[in-house]
Amino acid sequence: MEFVAIDVETANQNPSSICQIGIASFSNGSLVRTWGTLINPEDSFLPFNIQLHGIGPSEVAHSPTWIDVQSVLRELLERCTLASHTYFDRGAMNGANARYGVKPILVSGWIDTCQIARTAWPHFSNHKLTSLARTFGITYEAHNAAEDARCAGEILILAARRTGLKSG
């Protein structure tokens, strides 16, 4: 199973206000690489978002912008199958691309790990990433984009084993 799990954190209610991105690459059911960076969203921060992920204006003041990370993102994501826990991250990336006038990264497809988890474990009371991690003993730092991506990827592997899903 080959895929790349992604996660973003945002500065405010606008999904295009990405202030952190994390990527976790998986091959043959194993984590092979993680990557993440803070991003200066060139936007305002809401106190709610800062409290959620701990990232504020001072943390991103000297960070690259969305435009600055495009070459790295294209290298890591182009033509890959992407996975994220809900399609929020997909919408955020599309929104940031549109905001900056950047062409979307061409990917092979998207997998919603939350939807796959609902199929694999319909009897669970919720399918939040934190709840699934706790259920399966996955330790991670919630609302850290690279850690969220890794956790979502591990959940996808568990769900794929249960349901027979194959990717890549």
Side-chain angles (χ1 to χ4, degrees), residues 12-168:
N12 57 50
Q13 74 279 7
N14 184 340
S16 72
S17 68
I18 297 172
C19 62
Q20 185 181 50
I21 189 166
I23 295 170
S25 301
F26 290 81
S27 180
N28 297 318
S30 296
L31 177 68
V32 294
R33 179 180 182 182
T34 59
W35 178 86
T37 187
L38 292 173
I39 295 176
N40 184 337
E42 300 180 304
D43 207 342
S44 61
F45 280 79
L46 287 180
F48 173 83
N49 294 62
I50 295 170
Q51 184 177 5
L52 186 66
H53 50 56
I55 303 166
S58 61
E59 285 76 25
V60 301
H62 301 290
S63 297
T65 65
W66 186 249
I67 292 284
D68 297 332
V69 299
Q70 286 305 298
S71 61
V72 173
L73 292 178
R74 287 183 191 287
E75 180 183 319
L76 294 172
L77 304 178
E78 206 154 50
R79 306 218 188 301
C80 293
T81 298
L82 300 189
S84 58
H85 204 71
T86 77
Y87 283 127
F88 174 84
D89 307 275
R90 179 182 184 175
M93 288 179 62
N94 288 339
N97 288 338
R99 179 176 163 207
Y100 284 94
V102 175
K103 288 183 182 178
I105 296 170
L106 298 175
V107 299
S108 296
W110 281 84
I111 298 171
D112 179 345
T113 62
C114 186
Q115 185 59 47
I116 298 296
R118 286 184 184 113
T119 300
W121 304 287
H123 58 284
F124 286 2
S125 61
N126 77 64
H127 296 85
K128 294 177 183 177
L129 197 56
T130 52
S131 299
L132 293 167
R134 188 172 38 256
T135 298
F136 295 111
I138 300 170
T139 304
Y140 83 110
E141 181 186 342
H143 301 295
N144 171 300
E147 285 282 290
D148 285 348
R150 178 186 59 80
C151 184
E154 290 181 19
I155 295 295
L156 178 57
I157 290 167
L158 292 172
R161 288 181 184 144
R162 182 167 174 90
T163 63
L165 171 76
K166 294 186 183 343
S167 173

